[in-house]
Amino acid sequence: AKRRRQGGAVAFAAEMETELQERRFIEGELARALAGHAFELYYQPIVKAERTATAGLEALLRWNHPTRGIIPPSVFVPVAEAAGLMDKLGEFVLRRAIADAGRWPDLYVSVNVSPVQIRDRAFVDVVSAALGESGFEPARLVLEVTEGR
């Protein structure tokens, strides 16, 4: 009812229970996946149009669940945001992308950042620490704010 409009009412439907159970499952599995480093990053080339040369790489987070297979970010990211797990998930992506990009000295790396992360007062410290610990050049890191909460 909250999603549809303020002060409205919605009749119970079986799909609501299914949706709630799915959300709870994803939330519980997310915590385990984070602890077990079960997420993977894939890199999509960013090409300069004038020379058709690769200028950078965009880090894409993927979750290959052991029983469900690939769970898309469109499913797990909103759950991570709502469950307060986005800071940990985002830090994992940032650190892994920076570490991986250290092997590609002539390219920049683009990392998607949730609005939830941007609002976190510790976000600047997390980015600063990740860059400082890795020695990665800050000019080679692009942070792209995604749509979201």
Side-chain angles (χ1 to χ4, degrees):
K2 285 181 187 178
R3 281 187 264 165
R4 293 203 178 146
R5 65 187 156 124
Q6 194 107 9
V10 176
F12 176 79
E15 304 87 53
M16 292 175 170
E17 181 64 26
T18 303
E19 184 180 317
L20 178 63
Q21 288 176 354
E22 178 67 10
R23 188 172 192 84
R24 284 184 179 154
F25 173 81
I26 295 292
E27 187 175 329
E29 292 296 298
L30 264 174
R32 281 190 274 288
L34 272 168
H37 303 288
F39 293 96
E40 300 172 354
L41 287 186
Y42 291 82
Y43 295 95
Q44 177 173 298
I46 300 170
V47 178
K48 290 182 182 180
E50 68 273 2
R51 293 186 308 176
T52 63
T54 301
L57 299 163
E58 180 179 9
L60 303 173
L61 181 64
R62 297 295 179 256
W63 181 16
N64 190 356
H65 187 271
T67 60
R68 295 250 180 123
I70 299 294
I71 299 176
S74 62
V75 171
F76 68 82
V77 168
V79 175
E81 289 175 337
L85 296 171
M86 202 60 224
D87 57 340
K88 291 179 184 168
L89 186 59
E91 184 173 352
F92 165 79
V93 173
L94 180 69
R95 288 182 179 277
R96 175 68 60 85
I98 287 172
D100 289 349
R103 298 182 304 214
W104 311 308
D106 298 329
L107 303 176
Y108 68 85
V109 67
S110 177
V111 176
N112 292 327
V113 179
S114 162
V116 171
Q117 291 173 269
I118 295 292
R119 286 191 294 270
D120 184 346
R121 293 185 186 272
F123 179 70
V124 171
D125 295 333
V126 168
V127 174
S128 180
L131 289 168
E133 292 165 11
S134 67
F136 192 74
E137 299 168 47
R140 293 181 48 219
L141 176 64
V142 174
L143 300 176
E144 182 179 336
V145 182
T146 62
E147 295 178 17
R149 299 174 152 238

